[in-house]
Amino acid sequence: MVVVASERAASREPKYYLVKRHLLDLIAALPPGTLVPTERVLTVELGTSRTTVRRALSELVGEGRLVRRHGSGTYVAEPKITWPLQMTSFTEQASASGYSTSTRLLEATRTRADEGIAARLGLRVGASTYFIERLRLVDDTPMAVETSHLSAARFPGLIPELRKKSSLYGVLAENYGVQPVEAEETIETASASPREADLLGVDTGSPILLLGRHSFDVDGQPIEYVRSWYRGDRYTFVARLSAHRQE
Ligand code: 16G
C-alpha cells in the first residue's frame, strides 16, 4: 500500500503520524485483544521505514490504545478504567467500580517537614511527618505509585497500622476517627521515571497522570498531602460539572 507515502506529499504531518492515524482507524474496527500486524508487516504494507512504524506503535502503546505482550505481539487494548474524581479512597473507588485492589507498602518512614509539606499540613518546618510510598494494584495489575505525607504527631502509630491494613482512609477512620471530607485535587502530565516504569510495568518515559490531593477534615484541618503517579495508558478520570444558576 502506498497510501502513506503519497498522502504525506500533500500534507505537513510527520510520516509516523500518518501511520499512527492509519493504525487508529484499524484499531477502531477491531475488538480488544485482537493481534495487530507486526512491525515488519506494517513496514512493507505501508511502504515506510521500520523506525516510523515503531514510533507510531510506541505512541499508541503509551496512550493505551495498543498493548505489547513481550514475545507474543501487539494487541488492541482493553478499554481504560474510568474513575470519577470524588472524595473516595483508592480502595473504595476500585470496589465501587467492580475491581479488587491490593497494596504494596514500598516505604514508610518518619521524616521532617520541608517548607512545602509544612505549609500544606499546617505544621512548622522541621515537624515530624510520615512519608509513605505505596504501589496500588487493581485486579493484580500495578496501576499507581502513591506518596503520602501526614503529620506524625496527629497520627501516632500510623506506620504499624498501615503494615496490617491496606487502606489509609480505613486506618484514619478506625484508629483516629478522622475522615477526609474535602480536598483539592490537581492533575498534570508526567513521564514514567525508570523506577516508576519498573514498578508499574511500563516503559520508561510512558505517559503518566500525576494526581495531587490535599485533603481536609470536617473542621478544615489538613490531613494528607498526596502525589499519585497513575498509568496514563490505563486511566480516564471523570469530573462531573454543573452550572448552579442564581435565581
Ligand atoms: C486515593 C487518593 C489518596 C488517598 C487514597 C486513600 C488521590 C490522587 N489519591 O488514592 O489521597 O490517600 O486514595 O486510599 O486522590 P486507601 O484508603 O485505599 O489507602
Side-chain angles (χ1 to χ4, degrees):
M1 219 195 292
V2 280
V3 184
V4 169
S6 60
E7 263 184 22
R8 187 175 182 262
S11 130
R12 298 172 68 93
E13 284 179 300
K15 210 195 274 184
Y16 93 89
Y17 199 79
L18 288 170
V19 173
K20 185 177 169 186
R21 278 209 288 125
H22 169 81
L23 289 170
L24 273 171
D25 289 344
L26 185 78
I27 295 167
L30 298 172
T34 307
L35 184 64
V36 298
T38 60
E39 257 177 41
R40 194 175 49 77
V41 169
L42 287 168
T43 303
V44 175
E45 270 189 11
L46 303 176
T48 185
S49 74
R50 196 137 175 177
T51 318
T52 301
V53 169
R54 190 169 296 152
R55 179 159 180 206
L57 287 171
S58 293
E59 276 200 8
L60 291 167
V61 168
E63 290 167 14
R65 307 282 161 208
L66 295 174
V67 59
R68 253 188 217 123
R69 299 206 188 108
H70 291 292
S72 162
T74 304
Y75 298 82
V76 177
E78 295 293 327
K80 294 184 188 182
I81 296 175
T82 301
W83 276 10
L85 287 171
Q86 54 191 18
M87 198 55 263
T88 45
S89 73
F90 190 92
T91 307
E92 287 167 333
Q93 193 50 60
S95 138
S97 308
Y99 299 103
S100 68
T101 48
S102 50
T103 300
R104 258 177 59 204
L105 191 57
L106 301 172
E107 195 175 333
T109 45
R110 268 176 98 122
T111 179
R112 302 258 160 219
D114 63 17
E115 245 174 68
I117 296 299
R120 284 185 167 103
L121 296 182
L123 304 171
R124 57 174 176 76
V125 175
S128 184
T129 53
Y130 296 119
F131 171 80
I132 293 154
E133 185 182 47
R134 298 182 296 165
L135 181 66
R136 318 298 315 250
L137 297 90
V138 171
D139 288 350
D140 294 328
T141 304
M143 289 294 178
V145 178
E146 189 154 76
T147 61
S148 316
H149 302 262
L150 297 100
S151 157
R154 185 164 186 201
F155 304 111
L158 179 69
I159 292 178
E161 288 305 317
L162 269 185
R163 293 196 196 283
K164 291 187 263 175
K165 299 177 200 150
S166 62
S167 169
L168 172 65
Y169 283 8
V171 170
L172 293 182
E174 286 161 34
N175 296 62
Y176 306 95
V178 168
Q179 201 192 348
V181 295
E182 201 175 296
E184 186 176 285
E185 193 119 329
T186 55
I187 305 183
E188 56 192 301
T189 56
S191 308
S193 67
R195 179 163 181 272
E196 288 148 12
D198 190 40
L199 288 166
L200 294 171
V202 297
D203 292 334
T204 298
S206 294
I208 292 287
L209 289 166
L210 174 54
L211 272 71
R213 180 180 286 190
H214 188 196
S215 68
F216 302 84
D217 66 14
V218 72
D219 300 317
Q221 291 301 311
I223 296 176
E224 56 166 359
Y225 177 61
V226 172
R227 289 178 40 99
S228 305
W229 284 257
Y230 279 83
R231 282 177 57 167
D233 62 334
R234 296 300 295 125
Y235 273 91
T236 302
F237 289 102
V238 182
R240 180 169 288 274
L241 314 178
S242 62
H244 295 290
R245 293 179 197 282
Q246 301 223 316
E247 294 302 315

